[in-house]
Amino acid sequence: TFHEPYNVARSFATLDHFSNGRAGWNIVTTSENARATANYSSGDPIHHAEGYERALEFIDVATKLWDSWEDEALVFNKETGIYTDTDKIRPINHIGPYFSVQGPLNAARSPQAYPVLVQAGSSETGRDFAARTAEVIYTAQQSLAEAEQFARDIKSRMAKFGRGP
Protein backbone atom coordinates (compact mmCIF):
# COMPACT_ATOMS: atom_id res chain seq x y z
CA THR A 1 0.00 0.00 0.00
CA PHE A 2 2.79 2.46 0.81
CA HIS A 3 5.40 1.51 -1.77
CA GLU A 4 5.96 1.88 -5.50
CA PRO A 5 6.09 -1.15 -7.81
CA TYR A 6 9.49 -0.20 -9.24
CA ASN A 7 11.17 -0.15 -5.81
CA VAL A 8 9.52 -3.39 -4.72
CA ALA A 9 10.37 -5.15 -8.01
CA ARG A 10 13.98 -3.98 -7.77
CA SER A 11 14.27 -5.03 -4.12
CA PHE A 12 12.87 -8.50 -4.79
CA ALA A 13 15.03 -8.96 -7.89
CA THR A 14 18.09 -8.10 -5.80
CA LEU A 15 17.00 -10.38 -2.94
CA ASP A 16 16.32 -13.18 -5.41
CA HIS A 17 19.84 -12.80 -6.83
CA PHE A 18 21.40 -12.80 -3.35
CA SER A 19 19.39 -15.83 -2.23
CA ASN A 20 19.91 -17.81 -5.46
CA GLY A 21 16.21 -17.85 -6.26
CA ARG A 22 14.72 -18.29 -2.81
CA ALA A 23 12.70 -15.09 -2.42
CA GLY A 24 8.98 -14.94 -1.68
CA TRP A 25 6.63 -11.96 -1.47
CA ASN A 26 3.82 -11.89 1.08
CA ILE A 27 1.46 -9.53 -0.72
CA VAL A 28 -0.36 -7.63 2.00
CA THR A 29 -2.74 -4.76 1.47
CA THR A 30 -3.01 -2.40 4.43
CA SER A 31 -6.42 -2.08 6.04
CA GLU A 32 -8.28 1.19 6.33
CA ASN A 33 -6.04 2.32 9.16
CA ALA A 34 -5.42 6.03 9.74
CA ARG A 35 -2.61 5.26 12.18
CA ALA A 36 -0.69 3.28 9.55
CA THR A 37 -1.35 5.91 6.88
CA ALA A 38 -0.09 8.66 9.20
CA ASN A 39 3.42 7.19 8.90
CA TYR A 40 3.51 7.87 5.16
CA SER A 41 2.83 10.86 2.93
CA SER A 42 0.03 9.21 1.04
CA GLY A 43 -2.99 11.04 2.46
CA ASP A 44 -6.18 9.24 3.42
CA PRO A 45 -6.39 5.49 4.04
CA ILE A 46 -7.23 3.37 1.02
CA HIS A 47 -10.57 1.60 1.28
CA HIS A 48 -10.66 -2.22 1.25
CA ALA A 49 -11.86 -2.80 -2.34
CA GLU A 50 -9.65 -0.05 -3.77
CA GLY A 51 -6.66 -1.54 -1.95
CA TYR A 52 -7.12 -4.79 -3.85
CA GLU A 53 -7.61 -2.96 -7.18
CA ARG A 54 -4.38 -1.08 -6.56
CA ALA A 55 -2.63 -4.29 -5.51
CA LEU A 56 -3.65 -6.04 -8.75
CA GLU A 57 -2.14 -3.25 -10.80
CA PHE A 58 0.90 -3.20 -8.49
CA ILE A 59 1.54 -6.91 -9.13
CA ASP A 60 0.95 -6.42 -12.86
CA VAL A 61 3.56 -3.63 -12.97
CA ALA A 62 6.08 -5.56 -10.85
CA THR A 63 5.69 -8.63 -13.08
CA LYS A 64 6.14 -6.53 -16.22
CA LEU A 65 9.28 -5.02 -14.71
CA TRP A 66 10.71 -8.47 -13.87
CA ASP A 67 9.85 -9.55 -17.41
CA SER A 68 11.49 -6.44 -18.94
CA TRP A 69 14.71 -8.48 -19.02
CA GLU A 70 14.63 -11.65 -21.10
CA ASP A 71 16.45 -14.69 -19.74
CA GLU A 72 19.24 -14.31 -22.32
CA ALA A 73 19.81 -10.56 -21.78
CA LEU A 74 22.98 -11.09 -19.77
CA VAL A 75 25.74 -12.02 -22.20
CA PHE A 76 29.00 -11.59 -20.21
CA ASN A 77 31.11 -11.81 -23.37
CA LYS A 78 34.68 -10.94 -22.30
CA GLU A 79 36.03 -11.10 -25.85
CA THR A 80 33.63 -8.47 -27.21
CA GLY A 81 33.22 -6.58 -23.95
CA ILE A 82 29.45 -6.91 -24.21
CA TYR A 83 27.77 -7.33 -20.84
CA THR A 84 24.13 -7.27 -21.93
CA ASP A 85 22.14 -7.71 -25.11
CA THR A 86 20.14 -4.49 -24.99
CA ASP A 87 17.70 -5.87 -27.58
CA LYS A 88 16.51 -8.22 -24.82
CA ILE A 89 15.83 -5.43 -22.32
CA ARG A 90 12.78 -3.28 -22.96
CA PRO A 91 10.65 -0.62 -21.30
CA ILE A 92 7.20 -1.59 -20.08
CA ASN A 93 5.47 1.78 -20.65
CA HIS A 94 2.71 1.01 -18.15
CA ILE A 95 0.03 3.63 -17.63
CA GLY A 96 -2.85 2.70 -15.34
CA PRO A 97 -5.21 4.21 -12.80
CA TYR A 98 -2.66 3.97 -9.97
CA PHE A 99 0.77 3.77 -11.57
CA SER A 100 2.72 5.12 -14.54
CA VAL A 101 6.01 3.28 -14.94
CA GLN A 102 8.32 3.43 -17.93
CA GLY A 103 10.84 0.71 -17.03
CA PRO A 104 12.79 -1.36 -17.71
CA LEU A 105 13.99 -2.55 -14.34
CA ASN A 106 17.61 -1.66 -13.62
CA ALA A 107 18.34 -5.14 -12.26
CA ALA A 108 18.82 -8.23 -14.38
CA ARG A 109 16.26 -11.02 -14.44
CA SER A 110 16.65 -13.05 -11.27
CA PRO A 111 17.10 -16.83 -10.94
CA GLN A 112 13.39 -17.61 -10.59
CA ALA A 113 12.25 -14.62 -12.71
CA TYR A 114 10.20 -13.28 -9.82
CA PRO A 115 9.50 -14.25 -6.23
CA VAL A 116 6.92 -16.77 -5.11
CA LEU A 117 3.69 -14.79 -4.62
CA VAL A 118 2.04 -15.45 -1.24
CA GLN A 119 -1.32 -14.09 -0.08
CA ALA A 120 -3.74 -14.55 2.81
CA GLY A 121 -6.98 -12.84 1.85
CA SER A 122 -10.06 -14.27 3.53
CA SER A 123 -12.69 -11.67 2.59
CA GLU A 124 -14.64 -12.16 -0.64
CA THR A 125 -12.38 -9.66 -2.42
CA GLY A 126 -9.30 -11.16 -0.78
CA ARG A 127 -10.22 -14.66 -1.92
CA ASP A 128 -10.62 -13.49 -5.51
CA PHE A 129 -7.31 -11.64 -5.25
CA ALA A 130 -5.57 -14.75 -3.91
CA ALA A 131 -7.15 -17.01 -6.54
CA ARG A 132 -6.04 -14.61 -9.26
CA THR A 133 -2.47 -13.91 -8.15
CA ALA A 134 -1.05 -16.17 -5.46
CA GLU A 135 1.08 -19.26 -5.73
CA VAL A 136 0.86 -19.89 -1.98
CA ILE A 137 -2.23 -19.04 0.06
CA TYR A 138 -2.38 -19.30 3.81
CA THR A 139 -5.39 -18.95 6.03
CA ALA A 140 -6.47 -19.23 9.65
CA GLN A 141 -9.61 -21.34 9.57
CA GLN A 142 -10.94 -22.66 12.87
CA SER A 143 -11.56 -26.27 11.88
CA LEU A 144 -10.44 -28.80 9.32
CA ALA A 145 -13.86 -28.62 7.66
CA GLU A 146 -13.59 -24.82 7.32
CA ALA A 147 -10.05 -25.15 5.93
CA GLU A 148 -11.22 -27.71 3.38
CA GLN A 149 -14.12 -25.45 2.38
CA PHE A 150 -11.70 -22.51 2.04
CA ALA A 151 -9.44 -24.58 -0.24
CA ARG A 152 -12.39 -25.70 -2.40
CA ASP A 153 -13.62 -22.11 -2.65
CA ILE A 154 -10.21 -20.77 -3.72
CA LYS A 155 -9.76 -23.55 -6.29
CA SER A 156 -13.21 -22.91 -7.74
CA ARG A 157 -12.41 -19.19 -8.10
CA MET A 158 -9.14 -19.86 -9.93
CA ALA A 159 -10.90 -21.00 -13.12
CA LYS A 160 -12.42 -17.57 -13.78
CA PHE A 161 -8.87 -16.18 -13.86
CA GLY A 162 -7.63 -18.83 -16.27
CA ARG A 163 -5.69 -20.72 -13.63
CA GLY A 164 -5.81 -24.41 -12.86
CA PRO A 165 -6.41 -25.40 -9.25
Side-chain angles (χ1 to χ4, degrees):
T1 301
F2 302 112
H3 298 283
E4 292 293 322
Y6 189 90
N7 292 338
V8 169
R10 183 172 185 247
S11 296
F12 273 112
T14 302
L15 178 61
D16 206 44
H17 278 289
F18 286 154
S19 68
N20 290 316
R22 293 187 177 115
W25 177 13
N26 182 13
I27 305 162
V28 178
T29 58
T30 303
S31 63
E32 299 174 39
N33 183 328
R35 291 183 72 196
T37 305
N39 291 316
Y40 299 89
S41 300
S42 59
D44 296 328
I46 295 175
H47 299 291
H48 184 76
E50 183 182 4
Y52 280 114
E53 289 172 19
R54 185 181 181 280
L56 283 170
E57 184 179 348
F58 195 112
I59 292 167
D60 181 46
V61 172
T63 303
K64 286 177 183 175
L65 286 164
W66 291 318
D67 288 339
S68 67
W69 285 64
E70 293 181 26
D71 289 334
E72 302 83 22
L74 288 179
V75 178
F76 297 119
N77 188 323
K78 290 181 183 181
E79 293 173 12
T80 63
I82 296 174
Y83 175 73
T84 58
D85 181 346
T86 56
D87 290 336
K88 296 185 179 194
I89 305 168
R90 62 196 167 285
I92 67 168
N93 298 319
H94 176 90
I95 299 172
Y98 299 97
F99 305 105
S100 294
V101 180
Q102 182 179 351
L105 196 61
N106 68 347
R109 190 168 184 86
S110 66
Q112 63 177 343
Y114 35 91
V116 175
L117 303 179
V118 181
Q119 218 280 325
S122 289
S123 68
E124 286 299 307
T125 309
R127 288 178 187 218
D128 273 347
F129 180 79
R132 184 174 184 168
T133 62
E135 297 165 303
V136 176
I137 302 167
Y138 60 94
T139 184
Q141 302 303 317
Q142 301 304 309
S143 70
L144 179 58
E146 289 176 8
E148 290 170 337
Q149 173 53 36
F150 180 86
R152 282 191 301 274
D153 179 53
I154 293 293
K155 288 177 181 181
S156 71
R157 292 170 189 246
M158 292 175 79
K160 72 180 172 183
F161 301 113
R163 300 179 74 196

